[in-house]
Amino acid sequence: MDAPEPDQTPFAAVSAQTSRLGRIYQSHLDKSTPYTAYRWIGTGVLLLIFFLRIVLAQGWYIVCYSLGIYLLNLFLAFLQPKIDPSLTQDEGLEDGDAGSSLPTRKDEEFRPFIRRLPEFKFWHSATRAIAISFFCTWFSIFNVPVFWPVLVVYFLILFSLTMRRQIQHMIKYRYVPFSFGKARYNQRSGH
C-alpha cells in the first residue's frame, strides 16, 4: 500500500557528493601546500595559456582586463600588513591598542610581518581566477567589443598609481613585505 521511503532524498545525495568532492579538493590543496615554487610555476603556465588564448582569439579583452584588476587587488592585499599601521595609529589612541602597530624605532619590540592575504590564499585565489577567466573565453557572451589599447593604458595608469601609493605607505611605516634581502640569524651563534 504505502511505498517504502528511499534512504536518501535527491538533495541529500547531491549534498553528500559535493561534500565528498570538496574533501578531495581540499586534500589536494593540503598536499600542494609545501610546494610553493611548483604551485606558482603552474599558475604562471596557466596564465601564459590564458594570454595565448586572448592573443590568438583576438578578443575577450574585458575578461583579460577584469582578471588584471582582480590580480592587482590580490597583489595589493598580499603586500599589505594584516594590521594597517596608519589605521592603528589613529584608532589605537582611542582604543588603548597603540602597541599593535609595526615598530618604527630600534628600541621598539620586533613584530613579524603578517600579511593581510597569506601567500597560499593569494596563489589559490589567483589560480582560480585565471581558470575562471580562461573558461569565460570560450563563450561569446563575454567577448564584448572594446578598443583594447585604452584598457591597456588605463590598467598601466591604475597599476602605477596604486603601486606608487603602496610603496609610499611601505616607506612611511617602514615595513618590507618580502623576506629576501633581510638579515638572517643563526640559532647557534645568536646573530
Side-chain angles (χ1 to χ4, degrees):
M1 306 235 229
D2 288 335
E5 292 188 36
D7 290 344
Q8 275 189 327
T9 64
F11 178 73
V14 169
S15 178
Q17 286 300 316
T18 56
S19 176
R20 186 180 71 81
L21 290 175
R23 284 192 307 271
I24 292 171
Y25 177 70
Q26 187 63 45
S27 171
H28 288 297
L29 281 179
D30 292 343
K31 289 177 185 175
S32 72
T33 301
Y35 304 106
T36 307
Y38 294 118
R39 286 189 282 117
W40 282 105
I41 288 171
T43 300
V45 168
L46 186 62
L47 187 63
L48 182 67
I49 292 170
F50 172 74
F51 285 149
L52 283 174
R53 168 80 177 134
I54 296 297
V55 169
L56 295 176
Q58 295 184 355
W60 291 276
Y61 300 118
I62 288 290
V63 173
C64 188
Y65 176 74
S66 301
L67 176 65
I69 295 295
Y70 182 71
L71 292 177
L72 177 62
N73 187 25
L74 287 176
F75 185 62
L76 287 174
F78 177 72
L79 289 178
Q80 294 173 353
K82 187 172 186 176
I83 300 170
D84 190 359
S86 63
L87 296 177
T88 57
Q89 281 185 350
D90 296 337
E91 296 170 358
L93 298 175
E94 298 171 5
D95 299 341
D97 190 26
S100 66
S101 64
L102 294 172
T104 56
R105 295 186 306 268
K106 288 184 179 182
D107 59 342
E108 288 185 21
E109 180 183 345
F110 168 75
R111 290 186 177 83
F113 183 81
I114 300 171
R115 298 180 186 283
R116 190 171 75 161
L117 181 66
E119 181 272 332
F120 186 80
K121 288 184 180 180
F122 176 38
W123 166 79
H124 186 246
S125 298
T127 305
R128 195 172 46 197
I130 294 167
I132 291 170
S133 298
F134 184 73
F135 181 73
C136 288
T137 61
W138 296 100
F139 299 99
S140 62
I141 193 167
F142 297 111
N143 191 9
V144 179
V146 294
F147 187 59
W148 65 267
V150 173
L151 291 179
V152 171
V153 169
Y154 184 65
F155 178 78
L156 291 175
I157 290 171
L158 187 65
F159 179 81
S160 63
L161 290 176
T162 54
M163 289 308 295
R164 188 183 82 198
R165 185 181 56 94
Q166 183 63 35
I167 291 170
Q168 287 174 345
H169 190 267
M170 290 164 53
I171 291 170
K172 181 178 180 182
Y173 293 102
R174 295 186 183 144
Y175 64 91
V176 179
F178 303 109
S179 60
F180 61 85
K182 291 183 179 180
R184 293 186 183 235
Y185 300 101
N186 282 338
Q187 290 179 344
R188 284 187 264 174
S189 65
H191 288 80

